[in-house]
Amino acid sequence: MQSFKKSVFVALWFMFLTFPLLVVRVNTLKGEVEWRWMNMLWVGIVFFILSYVWRAALERKGQKKANNLDEDGEEILGFRQRLFQDPVIYRKVIAAVLIAAVIFPFVFSSYQINIMVLALIFVVLGLGLNITVGLAGLLDLGYVAFFGIGAYSYALLNTLYGWNFWFCLPIGGLVGALFGVLLGFPILRLRGDYLAIVTLGFGSIAKIVFENWDGLFKGASGIANIERPGFFGLEMSLEQSTIYTYFLMVLMVIFTVFVVNRLKDSRIGRAWMALREDEIACVAMGIDMARTKLSAYAFGAFWAGLAGVIFSARNTYINPNSFTFMESAIVLSIVVLGGMGSIIGVIIAALALILMPEYLRAFADYRMLAFGGIMVLMMIFRPQGLISDVRRKYDLSALQKKKEAKT
Amino acid sequence: MDWAYFVELLCSGLVRGSIYALIALGYTMVYGIIQLINFAHGEIYMIGAFVALIVSGALTIYGFSGVSILVLAALIAAVYAAAYGITLERIAYRPLRGAPRLSPLISAIGASLFLQNYVLLAQTPDFLPFPALIPDFEFMEPIAHIVGSPELVILVVTTLTMIGLTVLIKHTKIGKAMRATQQDMIMARLTGVNVDRVISVTFVIGSVLAAIGGVLVGSYIGQINFYIGFMVGVKAFTAAVLGGIGNIPGAVIGALVLGLTEAFAAGYVSSAYEDVFAFGLLVLILIVRPAGILGKAVKQKV
């Protein structure tokens, strides 16, 4: 009864809350007011049910917390984590995915391949931002600026000097990394919250400069006629070129996964994670804070730069509208949804978030609404993401047992 | 030097600055109490403006006129902004109290995206004409080419609001509770302050200020859409950081500095690059004073 009353109250509250925006619509030209009472009814029903779900979910979250503490601090790996930890299973999974990736372009049309290339670009972006946000814990809301810098550096080098794709690919990445360090310097001393606004400002500045520096970046009209990636000067039809770009992108993703995976367990990767967990303790252990932070920005920006070069080569045309805050938000929600620090999680999230709206056109309008809602809900109910990152650690009790067995 | 032009820019900078100040106060108050950057605050401002637009539109059609529309629209906008503020806090922030710092921030960004697209889908993606709710005063006639009536109203209203806010925080019981919570939340709770209520009240005050800003800007600029909250929110946040976030006089100073910088940059250099100047100023000041103009450097204790 108590919960019924609460739910009725919640439903009424939301009916009141959404009343002016969802129910009333004023048409000033015709001079009439449109009343959409059906919406109000729906809001009431939906929120009545949602409030039950919400309470149950919050309760479950509380219980889970209590349960987790009981088990002498030992975590049990869930099925999803086992899938990527157990070598017997994950080798099979990886083999299956690779085969699917190879067959894919020969089964689907070039329209679909094109979308897939875009999704893979976002995978690389997600993995790159994962270094900055997921591993090092430094929020970056202007990440798309590096993507744009990479894209524009290829576009300019190609259209002005005729440099080819392969030569520009590392250049784009390095230019991105250079700007990453440039952004990193002024914000080294800032607290976490200030990072949000400064990086966001950096993203806006980049877009404004792309938009208004007509002489160099051609302003809002953008740069056209950018060369597609070439293969030793081989002539390719449009379709062949698309498939080629697709395989290029698959290799790029594999390369990124490989590097990020190695970075994670390297000295610098562990320094990033230590920095994320506790800055003071980390510095006290003798880790150079400035170098670690700058390298986190540089590495993140490097991948964005590479992705940018491929992006402009794929599109053959770029303009500033591809590099707005919305893209930064999408990449950030990919990282959050996938699970900060988790490579597999980010890949799945990127594919889901980019492919879903392409195939569910009806859903496309509600895409950003859903992204926003998902970001809030994920933070509340699953802050570790879809697939949480499993930290490598020495299992002391197992080592002890081994020792005992030996003696 | 063209002095009339200079004065005009000065006025427009002050107007801009005072609008930023109204919104920056919401950021800074919330930050002071729960150390959260309420990214969705700009959206509350946008919702305030939208509600005012809808109410005034409906009232005009049903035959009301004059000042009654302005008063009713502003009132209802403030009520709704406060309601949205409270709901936002309850859903997106309260379950995350005590979570790692990045979690509520991402939740706030999510809430901001959600509210933007909610208004986009519920109303329209297009720009809507906002009626000029502020009447033209006759006594302003001689200097109207430099300072118009809307500008005057904005300056007067923001000044009055800030005086009211100062009185509220310095001299009332809830203000005292707010200051106590800001200093030490646990201790405040021990001495019998209802911290949850203080937080809700903070959100209400911030949201009402944002709604006032929304109504004023709407009728000053003359058109709104679902996206107006984002840029203004970012700028107001910049202003709050400039002044030292968590610091109320700092937010006002930061906002005025930012407004003036933008106005002069737009007037003397190029209006396309005014945002670059705004963020450039932010970075410059943060390099020199990492805690903002009035902010105190917080010593971290281990």
Side-chain angles (χ1 to χ4, degrees):
Chain A
M1 203 56 211
Q2 185 84 45
S3 61
F4 179 76
K5 254 190 209 161
K6 261 189 196 163
S7 291
V8 170
F9 175 73
V10 168
L12 285 176
W13 173 255
F14 275 95
M15 279 155 88
F16 160 74
L17 207 60
T18 52
F19 173 72
L21 290 165
L22 267 179
V23 179
V24 190
R25 187 188 255 156
V26 180
N27 192 333
T28 35
L29 288 181
K30 282 188 204 152
E32 54 186 28
V33 184
E34 187 188 338
W35 299 92
R36 298 171 292 177
W37 294 111
M38 278 309 282
N39 282 348
M40 187 181 228
L41 189 70
W42 280 115
V43 166
I45 294 169
V46 168
F47 277 96
F48 181 75
I49 298 165
L50 273 186
S51 79
Y52 273 102
V53 178
W54 175 260
R55 273 198 304 271
L58 272 186
E59 215 165 84
R60 210 176 124 226
K61 184 190 168 202
Q63 268 170 5
K64 232 185 195 168
K65 228 180 212 166
N67 280 346
N68 273 356
L69 288 179
D70 286 345
E71 295 160 13
D72 348 306
E74 242 183 77
E75 290 169 74
I76 299 167
L77 291 184
F79 170 71
R80 268 172 295 197
Q81 271 116 38
R82 246 196 16 243
L83 198 63
F84 306 108
Q85 286 299 305
D86 194 340
V88 182
I89 306 176
Y90 87 62
R91 278 195 193 132
K92 279 180 194 160
V93 172
I94 286 179
V97 170
L98 275 183
I99 291 170
V102 170
I103 296 173
F104 181 84
F106 303 108
V107 180
F108 290 97
S109 69
S110 60
Y111 170 72
Q112 251 113 3
I113 300 169
N114 244 328
I115 291 173
M116 198 64 189
V117 171
L118 184 71
L120 291 176
I121 287 175
F122 271 87
V123 169
V124 173
L125 281 178
L127 288 171
L129 187 63
N130 198 16
I131 296 174
T132 320
V133 178
L135 294 181
L138 301 164
L139 190 63
D140 189 347
L141 293 179
Y143 189 62
V144 82
F146 304 122
F147 183 49
I149 287 167
Y152 269 98
S153 51
Y154 174 55
L156 288 176
L157 288 176
N158 183 262
T159 51
L160 294 183
Y161 302 107
W163 292 13
N164 76 359
F165 172 80
W166 287 105
F167 196 59
C168 292
L169 188 62
I171 293 179
L174 289 177
V175 172
L178 185 74
F179 275 92
V181 174
L182 219 62
L183 168 69
F185 264 117
I187 59 188
L188 275 179
R189 293 200 296 164
L190 298 185
R191 278 185 294 155
D193 307 310
Y194 286 33
L195 284 183
I197 190 65
V198 178
T199 51
L200 205 160
F202 178 73
S204 315
I205 289 178
K207 193 187 169 232
I208 294 168
V209 172
F210 290 149
E211 228 165 26
N212 292 302
W213 192 344
D214 291 340
L216 188 57
F217 299 116
K218 307 265 164 57
S221 55
I223 299 175
N225 294 329
I226 305 164
E227 218 173 283
R228 289 175 188 281
F231 185 70
F232 298 115
L234 210 66
E235 283 288 321
M236 276 187 284
S237 69
L238 189 63
E239 198 168 334
Q240 281 168 329
S241 174
T242 312
I243 294 176
Y244 176 62
T245 316
Y246 167 80
F247 279 115
L248 200 84
M249 209 51 229
V250 171
L251 285 181
M252 183 79 200
V253 169
I254 294 172
F255 176 60
T256 314
V257 169
F258 176 75
V259 174
V260 173
N261 206 8
R262 302 302 295 168
L263 271 177
K264 240 170 104 174
D265 294 331
S266 72
R267 204 182 168 78
I268 192 143
R270 281 175 289 137
W272 286 334
M273 283 187 266
L275 197 73
R276 171 185 72 186
E277 298 302 331
D278 191 329
E279 202 172 310
I280 297 173
C282 173
V283 174
M285 295 305 289
I287 287 169
D288 185 347
M289 194 214 13
R291 223 175 62 193
T292 315
K293 274 191 181 174
L294 286 181
S295 64
Y297 274 107
F299 271 104
F302 179 73
W303 294 114
L306 290 186
V309 172
I310 300 182
F311 179 76
S312 62
R314 164 197 179 258
N315 283 17
T316 68
Y317 165 74
I318 50 170
N319 71 356
N321 281 338
S322 309
F323 313 107
T324 60
F325 175 71
M326 229 14 111
E327 275 69 33
S328 286
I330 290 175
V331 180
L332 184 67
S333 52
I334 285 171
V335 175
V336 170
L337 187 71
M340 286 192 228
S342 150
I343 293 175
I344 302 284
V346 168
I347 294 176
I348 294 175
L351 292 180
L353 286 189
I354 304 301
L355 294 182
M356 219 152 54
E358 294 292 343
Y359 289 109
L360 299 169
R361 275 287 158 203
F363 174 74
D365 287 344
Y366 295 89
R367 174 165 80 151
M368 291 318 287
L369 188 81
F371 279 10
I374 288 171
M375 274 163 91
V376 175
L377 292 179
M378 286 299 275
M379 281 299 114
I380 296 172
F381 296 113
R382 252 195 102 78
Q384 73 273 40
L386 283 178
I387 291 154
S388 53
D389 183 30
V390 185
R391 292 277 289 279
R392 279 165 70 120
K393 54 189 170 195
Y394 285 111
D395 192 345
L396 278 180
S397 56
L399 281 177
Q400 211 102 53
K401 270 178 203 156
K402 238 185 208 170
K403 218 176 178 184
E404 276 163 22
K406 261 185 192 168
T407 50
Chain B
M1 195 162 170
D2 187 354
W3 283 104
Y5 188 54
F6 178 81
V7 173
E8 201 184 308
L9 288 180
L10 186 73
C11 281
S12 105
L14 285 178
V15 167
R16 248 183 225 237
S18 48
I19 293 293
Y20 289 157
L22 275 179
I23 300 154
L25 283 171
Y27 277 107
T28 225
M29 281 166 65
V30 166
Y31 189 88
I33 286 185
I34 50 175
Q35 277 79 49
L36 161 84
I37 292 168
N38 180 9
F39 236 89
H41 192 61
E43 276 25 273
I44 299 284
Y45 152 89
M46 178 267 296
I47 285 176
F50 252 95
V51 171
L53 170 73
I54 290 164
V55 170
S56 60
L59 286 179
T60 316
I61 288 167
Y62 289 125
F64 286 75
S65 67
V67 186
S68 65
I69 293 183
L70 174 65
V71 173
L72 269 177
L75 213 63
I76 295 175
V79 168
Y80 268 100
Y84 271 95
I86 291 178
T87 316
L88 181 71
E89 193 263 329
R90 277 301 274 273
I91 291 178
Y93 305 145
R94 192 172 290 185
L96 287 171
R97 242 177 251 165
R101 288 295 277 279
L102 207 50
S103 304
L105 191 58
I106 291 172
S107 175
I109 295 168
S112 161
L113 282 178
F114 183 87
L115 287 176
Q116 257 177 39
N117 286 279
Y118 154 69
V119 173
L120 165 87
L121 293 168
Q123 290 289 322
T124 164
D126 305 322
F127 269 99
L128 290 176
F130 200 98
L133 293 175
I134 302 169
D136 280 325
F137 302 115
E138 271 176 34
F139 65 86
M140 291 294 291
E141 208 69 50
I143 50 168
H145 59 284
I146 303 174
V147 197
S149 305
E151 279 103 328
L152 182 77
V153 171
I154 289 175
L155 289 176
V156 169
V157 170
T158 45
T159 314
L160 287 179
T161 321
M162 282 176 208
I163 292 170
L165 186 70
T166 314
V167 171
L168 182 89
I169 288 175
K170 286 254 162 79
H171 299 291
T172 62
K173 207 171 166 187
I174 186 76
K176 210 181 215 174
M178 281 165 76
R179 280 180 289 145
T181 314
Q182 176 160 14
Q183 280 181 5
D184 190 332
M185 194 187 273
I186 297 169
M187 194 61 210
R189 191 175 273 144
L190 281 176
T191 50
V193 174
N194 185 345
V195 171
D196 283 337
R197 226 189 72 203
V198 170
I199 293 173
S200 293
V201 169
T202 312
F203 270 86
V204 167
I205 295 173
S207 305
V208 169
L209 293 179
I212 295 173
V215 177
L216 291 177
V217 172
S219 64
Y220 174 52
I221 296 192
Q223 58 173 4
I224 59 172
N225 78 346
F226 70 96
Y227 202 60
I228 55 164
F230 178 72
M231 212 50 214
V232 172
V234 168
K235 289 293 177 55
F237 179 28
T238 308
V241 172
L242 263 185
I245 197 157
N247 184 315
I248 289 177
V252 178
I253 291 177
L256 291 177
V257 169
L258 189 72
L260 288 171
T261 309
E262 275 187 22
F264 284 120
Y268 287 125
V269 188
S270 150
S271 62
Y273 285 101
E274 61 174 54
D275 291 353
V276 175
F277 280 94
F279 293 121
L281 177 77
L282 175 76
V283 171
L284 275 184
I285 286 189
L286 286 182
I287 289 174
V288 185
R289 289 188 62 91
I293 298 173
L294 290 188
K296 288 191 197 88
V298 186
K299 286 259 156 54
Q300 275 184 307
K301 288 179 195 155
V302 185

